[in-house]
Amino acid sequence: MGKLNWGMIGGGEGSQIGPAHRLGAGLDGEFVFVAGALDHRREAGRDYGKRLGLAADRAYGDWREMLEGERTRDDRIDLVTVATPNATHFEITKAYLEAGFHVLCEKPMTMTVEEGEEIVKIARATGRICAVNYGYTGYPLVRHMRAMVARGDLGAIRLVKAEFAHGHHADAADADNPRVRWRYDPAQAGVSAQFADCGIHALHMASFVIGQEAERLSADTVSCIASRELEDDAMVNLRFDGGAVGRLWTSSVALGRQHGLTLQVFGENGGLRWSQEQPNQLYWMPLRGRLQVIERGEGGLSPEADRSSRVTVGHAEGMPLAFANIYRDLAEAIRAGKEGRAMDPAADLYPRAEDGLRSMAAVFAVAESGKADGVWVDARPPMFR
Ligand SMILES: NC(=O)c1ccc[n+]([C@@H]2O[C@H](COP(=O)([O-])OP(=O)(O)OC[C@H]3O[C@@H](n4cnc5c(N)ncnc54)[C@H](O)[C@@H]3O)[C@@H](O)[C@H]2O)c1
């Protein structure tokens, strides 16, 4: 079968996440970038699209024009990535799913739990793929952690500790900068700022690795910069449905922390520690053993890690290649659907609309608990209770 056609909405020139998607989608030669509505400014989006190599008639001015243009083409896109600001995800994702396209949506998938449930229902009813870009789960050693937990290396999981704490909004003098301010304004950001932006990555990764979903949580949310209505720091305690205890810290005022995504998993027979800023090393401490460093790219780790590692051991491998693993999983899922066969189980690791919905339920649970002095609340979406 030939290459798959790929389109992108958002990710225009100068955007933060656009280049990582284009690198990730292009890495394996599975997808060809053929269509885009890349910018909220029509002409800037068209112009940039053409400079990136799109044909003039597929460098669209906006996502609706792209939907109409692509809908009727024989060579229409097989997958569209939605990488626009958060408040637009629901409307765009819904429209493309309903028109029969597969979608990879940036996080957060929606702004409310109800919208999340609607997306899950549409994806199920249409049989289209709706993936959510928790792209950090594409790192080989994150997938290896999951494989180690699943094959029982750690025994029962007692504790998972997840952090996504950076210091990029720590400057009180910068709090009124429009590029920062909207993130803490409920009218634009919704019910949560830092947890909805970063905390959900950490929570999703914890669930992905331990194979358990958050059931209940208690949150302490604070605005360290007093002019902010929404939280810039949160500490969340969790209970997972398989019995694990969760501790999650997320912050945007942690000066000196850069990206700050880390995961530690402690089981009855061993502990693991991984950090996104040193993604090529995983620390493994077996009970009664010695601390070991597992290097990405070592042969024979697990099928999941071996498959997703792209560069020889000892060479740094980073975030766009983690995204590439999500894209390669999606290519396999799309091809399997077209060919009417089961997909390769080793590729069946991409995050789903159900994960996007669970995140949204957790966001609302954190906001509710935070307002009520940390009262324990249900973290599950109503549809999964
Ligand atoms: N998965 C991750 O690791 C990760 C990392 C960063 C950002 N994100 C998510 O990606 C999304 C984009 O974030 P960003 O930091 O790249 O934002 P950004 O502000 O840097 O870029 C947004 C881009 O979308 C374009 N855009 C805005 N509205 C549009 C519309 N209606 N139609 C077409 N294009 C439109 C803008 O012109 C711009 O090019 C957000 O939802 C964010 O949460 C995810």
Side-chain angles (χ1 to χ4, degrees), residues 9 63 66-67 80 92-101 103:
I9 301 167
W63 66 265
M66 176 160 146
L67 184 63
V80 63
I92 301 175
T93 297
K94 179 175 184 298
Y96 276 78
L97 286 173
E98 285 176 341
F101 293 97
V103 178

Side-chain angles (χ1 to χ4, degrees), residues 9-18 21 37-41 61-63 82-89 92 106-108 133-136 164 179 182-183 196-197 201 259 319 323:
I9 301 167
E13 190 159 29
S15 67
Q16 189 189 167
I17 208 66
H21 279 282
L38 302 176
D39 203 292
H40 65 285
R41 299 159 302 167
D62 66 55
W63 66 265
V82 179
T84 50
N86 303 355
T88 62
H89 294 172
I92 301 175
E106 261 305 343
K107 44 58 63 175
N133 192 40
Y134 291 110
Y136 305 116
F164 199 153
R179 293 201 63 158
W182 75 267
R183 296 170 174 277
D197 189 34
H201 271 298
H259 189 257
M319 184 257 232
F323 281 24

Side-chain angles (χ1 to χ4, degrees), residues 111-173:
M111 297 295 284
T112 69
V113 178
E114 293 72 26
E115 289 170 353
E117 293 199 338
E118 199 176 332
I119 294 291
V120 167
K121 285 179 194 156
I122 295 168
R124 288 178 179 179
T126 57
R128 299 294 85 186
I129 293 166
C130 181
V132 182
N133 192 40
Y134 291 110
Y136 305 116
T137 59
Y139 278 105
L141 289 179
V142 174
R143 292 180 167 202
H144 186 58
M145 282 196 279
R146 177 185 162 100
M148 287 179 76
V149 171
R151 73 191 183 197
D153 293 7
L154 283 78
I157 303 304
R158 293 171 172 155
L159 279 172
V160 58
K161 167 107 186 303
E163 293 181 0
F164 199 153
H166 64 77
H168 300 300
H169 302 155
D171 186 351

Side-chain angles (χ1 to χ4, degrees), residues 11-33:
E13 190 159 29
S15 67
Q16 189 189 167
I17 208 66
H21 279 282
R22 286 187 287 274
L23 286 165
L27 186 74
D28 295 301
E30 296 274 10
F31 292 102
V32 198
F33 181 36

